[in-house]
mmCIF file with all atom_site columns, all heavy atoms in Angstrom:
data_model
loop_
_atom_site.group_PDB
_atom_site.id
_atom_site.type_symbol
_atom_site.label_atom_id
_atom_site.label_alt_id
_atom_site.label_comp_id
_atom_site.label_asym_id
_atom_site.label_entity_id
_atom_site.label_seq_id
_atom_site.pdbx_PDB_ins_code
_atom_site.Cartn_x
_atom_site.Cartn_y
_atom_site.Cartn_z
_atom_site.occupancy
_atom_site.B_iso_or_equiv
_atom_site.pdbx_formal_charge
_atom_site.auth_seq_id
_atom_site.auth_comp_id
_atom_site.auth_asym_id
_atom_site.auth_atom_id
_atom_site.pdbx_PDB_model_num
ATOM 1   N N   . LEU A 1 82  ? 49.780 -1.491  -36.739 1.00 86.00 ? 82  LEU A N   1
ATOM 2   C CA  . LEU A 1 82  ? 49.507 -1.226  -38.164 1.00 86.00 ? 82  LEU A CA  1
ATOM 3   C C   . LEU A 1 82  ? 48.015 -1.192  -38.479 1.00 86.00 ? 82  LEU A C   1
ATOM 4   O O   . LEU A 1 82  ? 47.626 -1.335  -39.636 1.00 86.00 ? 82  LEU A O   1
ATOM 5   C CB  . LEU A 1 82  ? 50.216 -2.282  -39.027 1.00 86.00 ? 82  LEU A CB  1
ATOM 6   C CG  . LEU A 1 82  ? 51.739 -2.301  -38.902 1.00 86.00 ? 82  LEU A CG  1
ATOM 7   C CD1 . LEU A 1 82  ? 52.322 -3.504  -39.625 1.00 86.00 ? 82  LEU A CD1 1
ATOM 8   C CD2 . LEU A 1 82  ? 52.336 -1.012  -39.433 1.00 86.00 ? 82  LEU A CD2 1
ATOM 9   N N   . SER A 1 83  ? 47.194 -0.974  -37.477 1.00 82.00 ? 83  SER A N   1
ATOM 10  C CA  . SER A 1 83  ? 45.734 -1.005  -37.692 1.00 82.00 ? 83  SER A CA  1
ATOM 11  C C   . SER A 1 83  ? 45.264 0.046   -38.688 1.00 82.00 ? 83  SER A C   1
ATOM 12  O O   . SER A 1 83  ? 44.210 -0.096  -39.292 1.00 82.00 ? 83  SER A O   1
ATOM 13  C CB  . SER A 1 83  ? 45.008 -0.834  -36.358 1.00 82.00 ? 83  SER A CB  1
ATOM 14  O OG  . SER A 1 83  ? 45.342 0.419   -35.788 1.00 82.00 ? 83  SER A OG  1
ATOM 15  N N   . HIS A 1 84  ? 46.048 1.095   -38.877 1.00 81.00 ? 84  HIS A N   1
ATOM 16  C CA  . HIS A 1 84  ? 45.723 2.126   -39.872 1.00 81.00 ? 84  HIS A CA  1
ATOM 17  C C   . HIS A 1 84  ? 45.669 1.532   -41.281 1.00 81.00 ? 84  HIS A C   1
ATOM 18  O O   . HIS A 1 84  ? 44.955 2.016   -42.140 1.00 81.00 ? 84  HIS A O   1
ATOM 19  C CB  . HIS A 1 84  ? 46.782 3.237   -39.791 1.00 81.00 ? 84  HIS A CB  1
ATOM 20  C CG  . HIS A 1 84  ? 46.611 4.355   -40.756 1.00 81.00 ? 84  HIS A CG  1
ATOM 21  N ND1 . HIS A 1 84  ? 45.593 5.283   -40.643 1.00 81.00 ? 84  HIS A ND1 1
ATOM 22  C CD2 . HIS A 1 84  ? 47.315 4.714   -41.849 1.00 81.00 ? 84  HIS A CD2 1
ATOM 23  C CE1 . HIS A 1 84  ? 45.692 6.156   -41.627 1.00 81.00 ? 84  HIS A CE1 1
ATOM 24  N NE2 . HIS A 1 84  ? 46.734 5.839   -42.364 1.00 81.00 ? 84  HIS A NE2 1
ATOM 25  N N   . TRP A 1 85  ? 46.416 0.470   -41.516 1.00 80.00 ? 85  TRP A N   1
ATOM 26  C CA  . TRP A 1 85  ? 46.507 -0.137  -42.840 1.00 80.00 ? 85  TRP A CA  1
ATOM 27  C C   . TRP A 1 85  ? 45.812 -1.482  -42.956 1.00 80.00 ? 85  TRP A C   1
ATOM 28  O O   . TRP A 1 85  ? 45.776 -2.055  -44.032 1.00 80.00 ? 85  TRP A O   1
ATOM 29  C CB  . TRP A 1 85  ? 47.979 -0.319  -43.231 1.00 80.00 ? 85  TRP A CB  1
ATOM 30  C CG  . TRP A 1 85  ? 48.652 0.985   -43.501 1.00 80.00 ? 85  TRP A CG  1
ATOM 31  C CD1 . TRP A 1 85  ? 48.657 1.679   -44.666 1.00 80.00 ? 85  TRP A CD1 1
ATOM 32  C CD2 . TRP A 1 85  ? 49.409 1.763   -42.573 1.00 80.00 ? 85  TRP A CD2 1
ATOM 33  N NE1 . TRP A 1 85  ? 49.356 2.839   -44.517 1.00 80.00 ? 85  TRP A NE1 1
ATOM 34  C CE2 . TRP A 1 85  ? 49.843 2.921   -43.240 1.00 80.00 ? 85  TRP A CE2 1
ATOM 35  C CE3 . TRP A 1 85  ? 49.756 1.604   -41.247 1.00 80.00 ? 85  TRP A CE3 1
ATOM 36  C CZ2 . TRP A 1 85  ? 50.606 3.907   -42.647 1.00 80.00 ? 85  TRP A CZ2 1
ATOM 37  C CZ3 . TRP A 1 85  ? 50.516 2.588   -40.639 1.00 80.00 ? 85  TRP A CZ3 1
ATOM 38  C CH2 . TRP A 1 85  ? 50.932 3.723   -41.339 1.00 80.00 ? 85  TRP A CH2 1
ATOM 39  N N   . LEU A 1 86  ? 45.289 -1.998  -41.849 1.00 85.00 ? 86  LEU A N   1
ATOM 40  C CA  . LEU A 1 86  ? 44.712 -3.338  -41.863 1.00 85.00 ? 86  LEU A CA  1
ATOM 41  C C   . LEU A 1 86  ? 43.255 -3.329  -41.432 1.00 85.00 ? 86  LEU A C   1
ATOM 42  O O   . LEU A 1 86  ? 42.852 -2.526  -40.590 1.00 85.00 ? 86  LEU A O   1
ATOM 43  C CB  . LEU A 1 86  ? 45.502 -4.265  -40.932 1.00 85.00 ? 86  LEU A CB  1
ATOM 44  C CG  . LEU A 1 86  ? 46.995 -4.400  -41.205 1.00 85.00 ? 86  LEU A CG  1
ATOM 45  C CD1 . LEU A 1 86  ? 47.648 -5.256  -40.138 1.00 85.00 ? 86  LEU A CD1 1
ATOM 46  C CD2 . LEU A 1 86  ? 47.240 -4.976  -42.584 1.00 85.00 ? 86  LEU A CD2 1
ATOM 47  N N   . GLN A 1 87  ? 42.467 -4.242  -41.998 1.00 82.00 ? 87  GLN A N   1
ATOM 48  C CA  . GLN A 1 87  ? 41.083 -4.474  -41.578 1.00 82.00 ? 87  GLN A CA  1
ATOM 49  C C   . GLN A 1 87  ? 41.096 -5.770  -40.783 1.00 82.00 ? 87  GLN A C   1
ATOM 50  O O   . GLN A 1 87  ? 41.460 -6.807  -41.311 1.00 82.00 ? 87  GLN A O   1
ATOM 51  C CB  . GLN A 1 87  ? 40.172 -4.650  -42.783 1.00 82.00 ? 87  GLN A CB  1
ATOM 52  C CG  . GLN A 1 87  ? 40.101 -3.453  -43.690 1.00 82.00 ? 87  GLN A CG  1
ATOM 53  C CD  . GLN A 1 87  ? 39.364 -3.778  -44.961 1.00 82.00 ? 87  GLN A CD  1
ATOM 54  O OE1 . GLN A 1 87  ? 38.841 -4.859  -45.132 1.00 82.00 ? 87  GLN A OE1 1
ATOM 55  N NE2 . GLN A 1 87  ? 39.335 -2.832  -45.872 1.00 82.00 ? 87  GLN A NE2 1
ATOM 56  N N   . LEU A 1 88  ? 40.689 -5.677  -39.539 1.00 73.00 ? 88  LEU A N   1
ATOM 57  C CA  . LEU A 1 88  ? 40.825 -6.836  -38.677 1.00 73.00 ? 88  LEU A CA  1
ATOM 58  C C   . LEU A 1 88  ? 39.608 -7.750  -38.670 1.00 73.00 ? 88  LEU A C   1
ATOM 59  O O   . LEU A 1 88  ? 39.708 -8.903  -38.332 1.00 73.00 ? 88  LEU A O   1
ATOM 60  C CB  . LEU A 1 88  ? 41.143 -6.386  -37.246 1.00 73.00 ? 88  LEU A CB  1
ATOM 61  C CG  . LEU A 1 88  ? 42.422 -5.556  -37.123 1.00 73.00 ? 88  LEU A CG  1
ATOM 62  C CD1 . LEU A 1 88  ? 42.642 -5.117  -35.689 1.00 73.00 ? 88  LEU A CD1 1
ATOM 63  C CD2 . LEU A 1 88  ? 43.624 -6.326  -37.643 1.00 73.00 ? 88  LEU A CD2 1
ATOM 64  N N   . ASP A 1 89  ? 38.414 -7.241  -39.026 1.00 60.00 ? 89  ASP A N   1
ATOM 65  C CA  . ASP A 1 89  ? 37.239 -8.104  -39.077 1.00 60.00 ? 89  ASP A CA  1
ATOM 66  C C   . ASP A 1 89  ? 36.234 -7.572  -40.094 1.00 60.00 ? 89  ASP A C   1
ATOM 67  O O   . ASP A 1 89  ? 36.438 -6.524  -40.680 1.00 60.00 ? 89  ASP A O   1
ATOM 68  C CB  . ASP A 1 89  ? 36.583 -8.263  -37.695 1.00 60.00 ? 89  ASP A CB  1
ATOM 69  C CG  . ASP A 1 89  ? 36.095 -6.941  -37.119 1.00 60.00 ? 89  ASP A CG  1
ATOM 70  O OD1 . ASP A 1 89  ? 35.750 -6.034  -37.890 1.00 60.00 ? 89  ASP A OD1 1
ATOM 71  O OD2 . ASP A 1 89  ? 36.049 -6.817  -35.885 1.00 60.00 ? 89  ASP A OD2 1
ATOM 72  N N   . ASN A 1 90  ? 35.118 -8.281  -40.282 1.00 49.00 ? 90  ASN A N   1
ATOM 73  C CA  . ASN A 1 90  ? 34.128 -7.904  -41.290 1.00 49.00 ? 90  ASN A CA  1
ATOM 74  C C   . ASN A 1 90  ? 33.479 -6.557  -41.018 1.00 49.00 ? 90  ASN A C   1
ATOM 75  O O   . ASN A 1 90  ? 33.067 -5.869  -41.938 1.00 49.00 ? 90  ASN A O   1
ATOM 76  C CB  . ASN A 1 90  ? 33.036 -8.985  -41.396 1.00 49.00 ? 90  ASN A CB  1
ATOM 77  C CG  . ASN A 1 90  ? 33.580 -10.238 -42.037 1.00 49.00 ? 90  ASN A CG  1
ATOM 78  O OD1 . ASN A 1 90  ? 34.576 -10.184 -42.739 1.00 49.00 ? 90  ASN A OD1 1
ATOM 79  N ND2 . ASN A 1 90  ? 32.939 -11.366 -41.788 1.00 49.00 ? 90  ASN A ND2 1
ATOM 80  N N   . ASN A 1 91  ? 33.344 -6.168  -39.731 1.00 42.00 ? 91  ASN A N   1
ATOM 81  C CA  . ASN A 1 91  ? 32.732 -4.881  -39.424 1.00 42.00 ? 91  ASN A CA  1
ATOM 82  C C   . ASN A 1 91  ? 33.556 -3.727  -39.975 1.00 42.00 ? 91  ASN A C   1
ATOM 83  O O   . ASN A 1 91  ? 33.024 -2.722  -40.389 1.00 42.00 ? 91  ASN A O   1
ATOM 84  C CB  . ASN A 1 91  ? 32.579 -4.698  -37.907 1.00 42.00 ? 91  ASN A CB  1
ATOM 85  C CG  . ASN A 1 91  ? 31.608 -5.708  -37.321 1.00 42.00 ? 91  ASN A CG  1
ATOM 86  O OD1 . ASN A 1 91  ? 30.725 -6.181  -38.020 1.00 42.00 ? 91  ASN A OD1 1
ATOM 87  N ND2 . ASN A 1 91  ? 31.788 -6.020  -36.052 1.00 42.00 ? 91  ASN A ND2 1
ATOM 88  N N   . LEU A 1 92  ? 34.868 -3.902  -39.963 1.00 40.00 ? 92  LEU A N   1
ATOM 89  C CA  . LEU A 1 92  ? 35.722 -2.831  -40.457 1.00 40.00 ? 92  LEU A CA  1
ATOM 90  C C   . LEU A 1 92  ? 35.664 -2.696  -41.967 1.00 40.00 ? 92  LEU A C   1
ATOM 91  O O   . LEU A 1 92  ? 35.946 -1.648  -42.507 1.00 40.00 ? 92  LEU A O   1
ATOM 92  C CB  . LEU A 1 92  ? 37.166 -3.071  -40.013 1.00 40.00 ? 92  LEU A CB  1
ATOM 93  C CG  . LEU A 1 92  ? 37.444 -2.794  -38.544 1.00 40.00 ? 92  LEU A CG  1
ATOM 94  C CD1 . LEU A 1 92  ? 38.865 -3.193  -38.199 1.00 40.00 ? 92  LEU A CD1 1
ATOM 95  C CD2 . LEU A 1 92  ? 37.225 -1.332  -38.224 1.00 40.00 ? 92  LEU A CD2 1
ATOM 96  N N   . ILE A 1 93  ? 35.324 -3.770  -42.666 1.00 37.00 ? 93  ILE A N   1
ATOM 97  C CA  . ILE A 1 93  ? 35.260 -3.699  -44.118 1.00 37.00 ? 93  ILE A CA  1
ATOM 98  C C   . ILE A 1 93  ? 34.210 -2.687  -44.547 1.00 37.00 ? 93  ILE A C   1
ATOM 99  O O   . ILE A 1 93  ? 34.458 -1.839  -45.392 1.00 37.00 ? 93  ILE A O   1
ATOM 100 C CB  . ILE A 1 93  ? 34.972 -5.087  -44.730 1.00 37.00 ? 93  ILE A CB  1
ATOM 101 C CG1 . ILE A 1 93  ? 36.176 -5.992  -44.478 1.00 37.00 ? 93  ILE A CG1 1
ATOM 102 C CG2 . ILE A 1 93  ? 34.660 -4.986  -46.203 1.00 37.00 ? 93  ILE A CG2 1
ATOM 103 C CD1 . ILE A 1 93  ? 35.967 -7.429  -44.869 1.00 37.00 ? 93  ILE A CD1 1
ATOM 104 N N   . THR A 1 94  ? 33.039 -2.720  -43.941 1.00 37.00 ? 94  THR A N   1
ATOM 105 C CA  . THR A 1 94  ? 31.989 -1.769  -44.271 1.00 37.00 ? 94  THR A CA  1
ATOM 106 C C   . THR A 1 94  ? 32.441 -0.352  -43.961 1.00 37.00 ? 94  THR A C   1
ATOM 107 O O   . THR A 1 94  ? 32.281 0.551   -44.760 1.00 37.00 ? 94  THR A O   1
ATOM 108 C CB  . THR A 1 94  ? 30.711 -2.084  -43.462 1.00 37.00 ? 94  THR A CB  1
ATOM 109 O OG1 . THR A 1 94  ? 30.395 -3.444  -43.669 1.00 37.00 ? 94  THR A OG1 1
ATOM 110 C CG2 . THR A 1 94  ? 29.564 -1.229  -43.900 1.00 37.00 ? 94  THR A CG2 1
ATOM 111 N N   . THR A 1 95  ? 33.032 -0.162  -42.781 1.00 39.00 ? 95  THR A N   1
ATOM 112 C CA  . THR A 1 95  ? 33.506 1.157   -42.394 1.00 39.00 ? 95  THR A CA  1
ATOM 113 C C   . THR A 1 95  ? 34.545 1.652   -43.378 1.00 39.00 ? 95  THR A C   1
ATOM 114 O O   . THR A 1 95  ? 34.532 2.805   -43.798 1.00 39.00 ? 95  THR A O   1
ATOM 115 C CB  . THR A 1 95  ? 34.134 1.095   -40.982 1.00 39.00 ? 95  THR A CB  1
ATOM 116 O OG1 . THR A 1 95  ? 33.172 0.553   -40.098 1.00 39.00 ? 95  THR A OG1 1
ATOM 117 C CG2 . THR A 1 95  ? 34.573 2.455   -40.515 1.00 39.00 ? 95  THR A CG2 1
ATOM 118 N N   . CYS A 1 96  ? 35.443 0.766   -43.755 1.00 44.00 ? 96  CYS A N   1
ATOM 119 C CA  . CYS A 1 96  ? 36.507 1.141   -44.675 1.00 44.00 ? 96  CYS A CA  1
ATOM 120 C C   . CYS A 1 96  ? 35.937 1.564   -46.023 1.00 44.00 ? 96  CYS A C   1
ATOM 121 O O   . CYS A 1 96  ? 36.358 2.550   -46.600 1.00 44.00 ? 96  CYS A O   1
ATOM 122 C CB  . CYS A 1 96  ? 37.476 -0.025  -44.852 1.00 44.00 ? 96  CYS A CB  1
ATOM 123 S SG  . CYS A 1 96  ? 38.814 0.359   -45.965 1.00 44.00 ? 96  CYS A SG  1
ATOM 124 N N   . GLU A 1 97  ? 34.967 0.812   -46.536 1.00 47.00 ? 97  GLU A N   1
ATOM 125 C CA  . GLU A 1 97  ? 34.363 1.163   -47.819 1.00 47.00 ? 97  GLU A CA  1
ATOM 126 C C   . GLU A 1 97  ? 33.695 2.520   -47.735 1.00 47.00 ? 97  GLU A C   1
ATOM 127 O O   . GLU A 1 97  ? 33.772 3.328   -48.654 1.00 47.00 ? 97  GLU A O   1
ATOM 128 C CB  . GLU A 1 97  ? 33.355 0.090   -48.242 1.00 47.00 ? 97  GLU A CB  1
ATOM 129 C CG  . GLU A 1 97  ? 34.016 -1.198  -48.698 1.00 47.00 ? 97  GLU A CG  1
ATOM 130 C CD  . GLU A 1 97  ? 33.034 -2.337  -48.899 1.00 47.00 ? 97  GLU A CD  1
ATOM 131 O OE1 . GLU A 1 97  ? 31.831 -2.150  -48.624 1.00 47.00 ? 97  GLU A OE1 1
ATOM 132 O OE2 . GLU A 1 97  ? 33.480 -3.397  -49.331 1.00 47.00 ? 97  GLU A OE2 1
ATOM 133 N N   . GLN A 1 98  ? 33.047 2.809   -46.601 1.00 48.00 ? 98  GLN A N   1
ATOM 134 C CA  . GLN A 1 98  ? 32.437 4.114   -46.423 1.00 48.00 ? 98  GLN A CA  1
ATOM 135 C C   . GLN A 1 98  ? 33.510 5.192   -46.374 1.00 48.00 ? 98  GLN A C   1
ATOM 136 O O   . GLN A 1 98  ? 33.346 6.266   -46.934 1.00 48.00 ? 98  GLN A O   1
ATOM 137 C CB  . GLN A 1 98  ? 31.601 4.137   -45.140 1.00 48.00 ? 98  GLN A CB  1
ATOM 138 C CG  . GLN A 1 98  ? 30.351 3.288   -45.228 1.00 48.00 ? 98  GLN A CG  1
ATOM 139 C CD  . GLN A 1 98  ? 29.668 3.126   -43.880 1.00 48.00 ? 98  GLN A CD  1
ATOM 140 O OE1 . GLN A 1 98  ? 30.201 3.488   -42.845 1.00 48.00 ? 98  GLN A OE1 1
ATOM 141 N NE2 . GLN A 1 98  ? 28.471 2.574   -43.909 1.00 48.00 ? 98  GLN A NE2 1
ATOM 142 N N   . ASP A 1 99  ? 34.617 4.912   -45.674 1.00 53.00 ? 99  ASP A N   1
ATOM 143 C CA  . ASP A 1 99  ? 35.710 5.874   -45.591 1.00 53.00 ? 99  ASP A CA  1
ATOM 144 C C   . ASP A 1 99  ? 36.273 6.176   -46.966 1.00 53.00 ? 99  ASP A C   1
ATOM 145 O O   . ASP A 1 99  ? 36.572 7.323   -47.283 1.00 53.00 ? 99  ASP A O   1
ATOM 146 C CB  . ASP A 1 99  ? 36.836 5.347   -44.692 1.00 53.00 ? 99  ASP A CB  1
ATOM 147 C CG  . ASP A 1 99  ? 36.451 5.325   -43.219 1.00 53.00 ? 99  ASP A CG  1
ATOM 148 O OD1 . ASP A 1 99  ? 35.416 5.937   -42.876 1.00 53.00 ? 99  ASP A OD1 1
ATOM 149 O OD2 . ASP A 1 99  ? 37.170 4.687   -42.431 1.00 53.00 ? 99  ASP A OD2 1
ATOM 150 N N   . VAL A 1 100 ? 36.437 5.140   -47.795 1.00 54.00 ? 100 VAL A N   1
ATOM 151 C CA  . VAL A 1 100 ? 36.970 5.334   -49.143 1.00 54.00 ? 100 VAL A CA  1
ATOM 152 C C   . VAL A 1 100 ? 36.019 6.198   -49.963 1.00 54.00 ? 100 VAL A C   1
ATOM 153 O O   . VAL A 1 100 ? 36.449 7.122   -50.654 1.00 54.00 ? 100 VAL A O   1
ATOM 154 C CB  . VAL A 1 100 ? 37.205 3.968   -49.847 1.00 54.00 ? 100 VAL A CB  1
ATOM 155 C CG1 . VAL A 1 100 ? 37.511 4.160   -51.304 1.00 54.00 ? 100 VAL A CG1 1
ATOM 156 C CG2 . VAL A 1 100 ? 38.335 3.221   -49.159 1.00 54.00 ? 100 VAL A CG2 1
ATOM 157 N N   . ALA A 1 101 ? 34.716 5.911   -49.877 1.00 54.00 ? 101 ALA A N   1
ATOM 158 C CA  . ALA A 1 101 ? 33.738 6.704   -50.619 1.00 54.00 ? 101 ALA A CA  1
ATOM 159 C C   . ALA A 1 101 ? 33.750 8.150   -50.155 1.00 54.00 ? 101 ALA A C   1
ATOM 160 O O   . ALA A 1 101 ? 33.705 9.081   -50.961 1.00 54.00 ? 101 ALA A O   1
ATOM 161 C CB  . ALA A 1 101 ? 32.345 6.107   -50.462 1.00 54.00 ? 101 ALA A CB  1
ATOM 162 N N   . LEU A 1 102 ? 33.825 8.364   -48.843 1.00 55.00 ? 102 LEU A N   1
ATOM 163 C CA  . LEU A 1 102 ? 33.863 9.706   -48.290 1.00 55.00 ? 102 LEU A CA  1
ATOM 164 C C   . LEU A 1 102 ? 35.137 10.424  -48.725 1.00 55.00 ? 102 LEU A C   1
ATOM 165 O O   . LEU A 1 102 ? 35.108 11.595  -49.108 1.00 55.00 ? 102 LEU A O   1
ATOM 166 C CB  . LEU A 1 102 ? 33.779 9.645   -46.766 1.00 55.00 ? 102 LEU A CB  1
ATOM 167 C CG  . LEU A 1 102 ? 33.750 10.972  -46.025 1.00 55.00 ? 102 LEU A CG  1
ATOM 168 C CD1 . LEU A 1 102 ? 32.530 11.784  -46.460 1.00 55.00 ? 102 LEU A CD1 1
ATOM 169 C CD2 . LEU A 1 102 ? 33.708 10.731  -44.526 1.00 55.00 ? 102 LEU A CD2 1
ATOM 170 N N   . GLU A 1 103 ? 36.255 9.702   -48.688 1.00 57.00 ? 103 GLU A N   1
ATOM 171 C CA  . GLU A 1 103 ? 37.528 10.282  -49.097 1.00 57.00 ? 103 GLU A CA  1
ATOM 172 C C   . GLU A 1 103 ? 37.485 10.684  -50.570 1.00 57.00 ? 103 GLU A C   1
ATOM 173 O O   . GLU A 1 103 ? 37.942 11.759  -50.939 1.00 57.00 ? 103 GLU A O   1
ATOM 174 C CB  . GLU A 1 103 ? 38.650 9.263   -48.857 1.00 57.00 ? 103 GLU A CB  1
ATOM 175 C CG  . GLU A 1 103 ? 40.038 9.793   -49.129 1.00 57.00 ? 103 GLU A CG  1
ATOM 176 C CD  . GLU A 1 103 ? 41.095 8.752   -48.839 1.00 57.00 ? 103 GLU A CD  1
ATOM 177 O OE1 . GLU A 1 103 ? 40.945 7.992   -47.866 1.00 57.00 ? 103 GLU A OE1 1
ATOM 178 O OE2 . GLU A 1 103 ? 42.071 8.689   -49.604 1.00 57.00 ? 103 GLU A OE2 1
ATOM 179 N N   . LYS A 1 104 ? 36.922 9.820   -51.418 1.00 57.00 ? 104 LYS A N   1
ATOM 180 C CA  . LYS A 1 104 ? 36.793 10.134  -52.843 1.00 57.00 ? 104 LYS A CA  1
ATOM 181 C C   . LYS A 1 104 ? 35.929 11.368  -53.043 1.00 57.00 ? 104 LYS A C   1
ATOM 182 O O   . LYS A 1 104 ? 36.247 12.230  -53.856 1.00 57.00 ? 104 LYS A O   1
ATOM 183 C CB  . LYS A 1 104 ? 36.159 8.947   -53.575 1.00 57.00 ? 104 LYS A CB  1
ATOM 184 C CG  . LYS A 1 104 ? 37.081 8.213   -54.467 1.00 57.00 ? 104 LYS A CG  1
ATOM 185 C CD  . LYS A 1 104 ? 36.339 7.152   -55.237 1.00 57.00 ? 104 LYS A CD  1
ATOM 186 C CE  . LYS A 1 104 ? 37.327 6.376   -56.065 1.00 57.00 ? 104 LYS A CE  1
ATOM 187 N NZ  . LYS A 1 104 ? 36.722 5.273   -56.763 1.00 57.00 ? 104 LYS A NZ  1
ATOM 188 N N   . SER A 1 105 ? 34.831 11.435  -52.301 1.00 55.00 ? 105 SER A N   1
ATOM 189 C CA  . SER A 1 105 ? 33.924 12.567  -52.404 1.00 55.00 ? 105 SER A CA  1
ATOM 190 C C   . SER A 1 105 ? 34.635 13.859  -52.006 1.00 55.00 ? 105 SER A C   1
ATOM 191 O O   . SER A 1 105 ? 34.526 14.873  -52.692 1.00 55.00 ? 105 SER A O   1
ATOM 192 C CB  . SER A 1 105 ? 32.708 12.329  -51.515 1.00 55.00 ? 105 SER A CB  1
ATOM 193 O OG  . SER A 1 105 ? 31.934 13.474  -51.429 1.00 55.00 ? 105 SER A OG  1
#
Side-chain angles (χ1 to χ4, degrees):
L82 298 171
S83 61
H84 179 71
W85 290 275
L86 303 175
Q87 298 171 4
L88 301 178
D89 61 29
N90 289 338
N91 295 334
L92 286 175
I93 293 173
T94 307
T95 305
C96 180
E97 287 170 357
Q98 290 170 350
D99 289 347
V100 170
L102 182 60
E103 185 179 322
K104 250 185 183 176
S105 171

